[in-house]
Amino acid sequence: MSKILFSSISKKFVMALAGLFLLTFLPVHLTINLFLLKDDPAPFNTAAHFMATFPLIKILEIVLFATILIHVIWGIMLQIQNWFARPVGYVRPVKSETSFFSRFMIWTGATILIFFILHFFNFYFIKLGLVKGNPEDFYSTAHNLFKIPAYDYIYLTCFTILGFHLYHAFSSAFQTLGLNHRIWTPVVKVIALIYSILIPLSFAFIAVSLWLFR
């Protein structure tokens, strides 16, 4: 049983489910962030307060953090297994459709994890009282952060990398779950491409708007 639970196939299956769950979180987060473009801080602060206090959301928050942790740990374990399974690189590299993305998933994922930690420090830790700030006015916190050029450069770089990560994650998750189909697999890849461009680009649009035009 332990071999089944901790096999590479099981880890990939769990990572696929965790990844799909995280993919549903980003549009929700994006919708709330769009309120940052309004001159009135009330809508964003109200939405942030609701997300921080509503019991069901708090439960989903725990699920979200657990999912991120599982996704990261399983991803690292799989990469380590791959390195040990193939300690010497191929003499002639084997080319595949997703070879470029899959080869760098561990590094794009590590970059995104660093950004998550930075993001939690700037927002979530304020809510916990671990960092100085007003948990009822994240609108001002966000606007002040986006006035810092260095923060914007980091933010835009991370979301560019996130786009590459999302494209491979979206399409490979369905493949891992065994949902390959002659007709639907190309459709999934198109949706993955649109999603991996639209979501990071929308976050980037908000950041640039607040940085240069607010």
Side-chain angles (χ1 to χ4, degrees):
M1 179 62 70
S2 61
K3 290 183 178 180
I4 294 175
L5 290 176
F6 294 99
S7 67
S8 295
I9 296 177
S10 298
K11 291 188 182 73
K12 289 179 180 178
F13 189 84
V14 172
M15 276 196 69
L17 292 177
L20 290 175
F21 176 76
L22 294 175
L23 288 173
T24 63
F25 166 75
L26 283 173
V28 176
H29 191 41
L30 173 62
T31 302
I32 295 174
N33 277 18
L34 287 172
F35 288 128
L36 289 170
L37 298 176
K38 298 176 68 69
D39 293 328
D40 182 10
F44 179 82
N45 286 334
T46 300
H49 178 80
F50 174 80
M51 295 293 289
T53 58
F54 189 67
L56 179 60
I57 299 298
K58 296 184 75 171
I59 294 174
L60 290 176
E61 186 179 77
I62 296 174
V63 175
L64 175 65
F65 290 159
T67 302
I68 293 174
L69 190 61
I70 292 171
H71 193 73
V72 169
I73 292 175
W74 254 228
I76 293 173
M77 291 176 67
L78 280 170
Q79 186 61 58
I80 292 174
Q81 284 182 350
N82 290 338
W83 283 335
F84 276 104
R86 194 181 61 200
V88 179
Y90 293 126
V91 176
R92 299 181 61 183
V94 179
K95 295 183 179 180
S96 65
E97 186 177 353
T98 59
S99 60
F100 174 82
F101 296 104
S102 60
R103 190 162 55 243
F104 292 100
M105 281 295 280
I106 184 66
W107 306 116
T108 58
T111 304
I112 295 166
L113 177 61
I114 293 172
F115 176 75
F116 270 134
I117 295 172
L118 176 65
H119 197 61
F120 288 158
F121 182 84
N122 289 321
F123 292 95
Y124 189 72
F125 287 176
I126 292 177
K127 187 183 77 170
L128 296 179
L130 301 176
V131 175
K132 185 179 179 180
N134 184 1
E136 297 299 326
D137 189 17
F138 282 133
Y139 179 92
S140 297
T141 301
H143 275 254
N144 291 334
L145 283 171
F146 285 120
K147 294 299 182 183
I148 304 173
Y151 183 85
D152 288 286
Y153 294 140
I154 295 173
Y155 191 92
L156 296 175
T157 300
C158 287
F159 270 94
T160 300
I161 294 173
L162 177 64
F164 290 103
H165 193 85
L166 289 176
Y167 175 72
H168 177 71
F170 196 112
S171 54
S172 64
F174 284 90
Q175 182 178 356
T176 299
L177 296 175
L179 302 178
N180 290 327
H181 191 273
R182 179 176 56 86
I183 296 176
W184 293 112
T185 296
V187 175
V188 168
K189 290 185 177 181
V190 172
I191 295 174
L193 180 62
I194 295 173
Y195 182 95
S196 63
I197 294 175
L198 184 61
I199 295 296
L201 190 62
S202 299
F203 278 102
F205 172 77
I206 295 172
V208 172
S209 297
L210 298 183
W211 178 19
L212 300 179
F213 305 111
R214 295 281 176 164

